[in-house]
Amino acid sequence: MDLLGDIGQADQLTSTRTENKVLQAKVKELTVRVHELKAENEALKAEVELYRKDYASSRISSSVGDEGGGESKEALVDDGADDFVTSGNGLYPSDPAVTLPHIHATANPLCCTLHPDDSLLATGGADSNLKLCRWGSALAPGDASSVKAVDESIIIPCGAPIICCAFAQVNRGRGLPVVAAGCMDGSVKLAYCGLEMDAPKEGRLRILKSDLENGDGIKHGKYVKTICWSPSEPILASASADGTVQLTSVGSVDSEASTVSLKVVQSMHFDGAVESMCFVNNGNIFCCYVRGTSYLSYFDLKDGCKQSKMSLNGGAAGNGCFDEHVSFAILSLLPSPNGEYLAAATDSSRNFIMKTGTDRIVRNLYGHKNDGFSNPKIAWSSNGQYLYGNSQDENCVYVWDIASASIVKRLDKSDGGHSGFVRDIYSSRSTDTVASVSFDKAAKIWLRDM
């Protein structure tokens, strides 16, 4: 009986293995088909965008004809022939000059930014700490210099994981010694980052308390999506998943008392979450994208926050060609160094460049992958000729030449890049310096090859 039982079990095992091989072959076949369908889907999306553009142009041309040949503001459609005519000069940061290992110990870093003079790197982590690191010391000879730079970083506890961070910008040669951190609990922490980095030494003493009546500082109902500073005034914009945006004027800082003067300039309330935002026109215009909408909203801060909308499908809101459907969300929005263009990173494996204040898309950038579950990030090169971006399926940073809309470099592990998903990218506004953080627990500083 035992022999017959063993034979039966062996036959069953052989049958199971055969069935398993058949299933594995089927899985491989279906995987190939899935990749084919994804490629076809991207091609169809691009074709749909072209049809929308053609439709918008035909409607505008028709409206001009109805007016007897007169030129309206909407009719002056620029075909973009003068935008990014020549390819980039090949000068952009691609050398991983500094690697700061375990910048947040065993926790993942979630965001990064550079001080306006590039001397300080700020990173926010899942460990609820904001870290200020003088990354330049890691350029010293020896492998231990990077570890020492991390060990000497200032650790500022913020009480909740930090989703985004940003230094106040320099205005008329004067800088506000403040770095802001947007947190998972809906708060925005302001911390002192003056030149005297050794005083106060303890990081928690650098958190600045508000002089507002409630003393709570900036607080939203849900987690903070993004923050940004005006380039011309000490005004901080913070946006939340609860659909609110708050513009806060940040005044004088008392580093000894650890206090800061705050004044709410404007509060905005939207039906959906504000996913991305920026200041344009030298800080006079506030621009944002709200999830579920098909346009960018521009608010004139010098004219009572008067709102205008520019379609992401062609045409201004209110015109006959305005299409309310959109197949993507803009999760990162950045003005170019000269302010004439906006770069947008979407959740549909597409980045694009728009003319600021218009509906005109001048370049579409493809070749990476970011869907609705991703965290797309972008950064301009300081010369405005290249765009950096991440991809959810590869542990690398892509570099696009904007003029040709082609990928010219993939900064991956073979180039000394990250070995984990790239969570955030930041580019200096004044020098050829790019910072990145990754789920490999490291922060990197990319410099231009000399």
Side-chain angles (χ1 to χ4, degrees):
M1 294 294 293
D2 291 339
L3 178 60
L4 292 176
D6 291 341
I7 293 174
Q9 290 178 1
D11 289 343
Q12 185 177 3
L13 180 59
T14 301
S15 176
T16 302
R17 285 175 176 172
T18 302
E19 184 179 353
N20 187 43
K21 288 180 180 180
V22 173
L23 290 174
Q24 287 179 346
K26 190 63 176 178
V27 167
K28 289 181 179 180
E29 179 184 340
L30 291 175
T31 300
V32 171
R33 183 55 181 158
V34 166
H35 285 296
E36 291 175 350
L37 289 173
K38 285 182 178 180
E40 292 175 9
N41 187 45
E42 292 302 322
L44 287 172
K45 285 182 180 179
E47 191 172 353
V48 168
E49 293 299 329
L50 290 175
Y51 283 134
R52 284 187 180 142
K53 289 295 182 183
D54 290 342
Y55 174 72
S57 298
S58 64
R59 291 298 297 268
I60 291 175
S61 299
S62 176
S63 65
V64 173
D66 292 343
E67 294 174 3
E71 288 188 341
S72 66
K73 183 177 180 181
E74 292 78 19
L76 298 176
V77 179
D78 191 337
D79 62 5
D82 294 330
D83 298 302
F84 302 103
V85 174
T86 59
S87 294
N89 57 16
L91 302 177
Y92 56 88
S94 60
D95 174 30
V98 171
T99 297
L100 301 168
H102 299 286
I103 188 68
H104 285 267
T106 59
N108 281 321
L110 303 178
C111 56
C112 64
T113 186
L114 289 168
H115 189 274
D117 67 7
D118 296 340
S119 63
L120 282 177
L121 170 69
T123 60
D127 59 354
S128 304
N129 290 328
L130 179 71
K131 298 195 75 171
L132 304 180
C133 177
R134 290 195 179 278
W135 62 268
S137 63
L139 292 170
D143 296 336
S145 59
S146 293
V147 176
K148 183 179 180 182
V150 173
D151 291 341
E152 293 178 349
S153 299
I154 300 295
I155 302 175
I156 303 174
C158 292
I162 299 167
I163 300 172
C164 47
C165 57
F167 283 101
Q169 299 304 301
V170 173
N171 178 31
R172 300 183 181 91
R174 296 182 300 171
L176 186 69
V178 172
V179 59
C183 301
M184 186 67 78
D185 64 356
S187 67
V188 178
K189 305 293 186 184
L190 300 179
Y192 178 71
C193 61
L195 294 177
E196 57 277 19
M197 287 291 291
D198 292 331
K201 182 67 175 178
E202 193 171 356
R204 66 180 182 85
L205 299 178
R206 291 182 172 272
I207 293 292
L208 299 172
K209 299 176 183 177
S210 167
D211 61 357
L212 295 176
E213 292 183 2
N214 57 18
D216 291 336
I218 304 172
K219 181 71 175 179
H220 292 272
K222 292 183 178 180
Y223 65 91
V224 177
K225 283 276 190 177
T226 181
I227 59 176
C228 64
W229 290 88
S230 166
S232 59
E233 299 181 63
I235 294 179
L236 175 67
S238 56
S240 167
D242 64 4
T244 63
V245 171
Q246 182 170 307
L247 304 184
T248 306
S249 176
V250 182
S252 58
V253 174
D254 187 336
S255 59
E256 293 185 2
S258 296
T259 59
V260 61
S261 176
L262 300 179
K263 180 182 178 181
V264 178
V265 175
Q266 189 65 249
S267 294
M268 302 178 184
H269 304 268
F270 299 92
D271 291 335
V274 176
E275 297 287 355
S276 54
M277 61 185 183
C278 64
F279 288 92
V280 296
N281 192 24
N282 198 33
N284 294 324
I285 304 291
F286 174 72
C287 175
C288 68
Y289 171 79
V290 180
R291 179 171 284 276
T293 62
S294 59
Y295 52 83
L296 289 180
S297 293
Y298 289 85
F299 296 90
D300 190 341
L301 303 183
K302 301 299 182 182
D303 189 16
C305 278
K306 182 179 178 180
Q307 182 182 11
S308 59
K309 301 175 181 179
M310 285 296 163
S311 172
L312 297 170
N313 294 320
N319 292 338
C321 62
F322 189 70
D323 186 352
E324 294 184 355
H325 172 76
V326 68
S327 59
F328 57 83
I330 297 177
L331 302 185
S332 185
L333 187 66
L334 290 176
S336 63
N338 62 10
E340 293 185 9
Y341 302 93
L342 292 176
T346 76
D347 60 356
S348 64
S349 301
R350 173 193 176 205
N351 298 332
F352 60 86
I353 309 295
M354 292 188 74
K355 186 76 172 177
T356 302
T358 74
D359 67 308
R360 185 159 62 82
I361 296 176
V362 299
R363 288 294 185 277
N364 285 296
L365 308 177
Y366 296 102
H368 62 306
K369 180 180 179 181
N370 279 312
D371 61 21
F373 299 98
S374 64
N375 187 55
K377 296 293 182 180
I378 49 175
W380 290 86
S381 64
S382 61
N383 59 18
Q385 299 172 355
Y386 299 92
L387 191 74
Y388 293 81
N390 63 349
S391 181
Q392 72 180 58
D393 62 344
E394 291 186 85
N395 303 327
C396 71
V397 176
Y398 282 83
V399 185
W400 283 271
D401 172 70
I402 297 175
S404 64
S406 61
I407 296 171
V408 294
K409 191 74 172 177
R410 291 173 68 257
L411 305 175
D412 56 21
K413 189 176 180 179
S414 65
D415 295 310
H418 291 287
S419 60
F421 170 71
V422 178
R423 171 71 187 196
D424 199 10
I425 313 169
Y426 182 88
S427 178
S428 169
R429 290 174 169 82
S430 55
T431 68
D432 289 323
T433 307
V434 170
S436 61
V437 291
S438 163
F439 283 176
D440 63 6
K441 309 294 192 297
K444 288 185 180 289
I445 301 293
W446 304 82
L447 302 178
R448 203 178 83 193
D449 281 326
M450 302 303 290

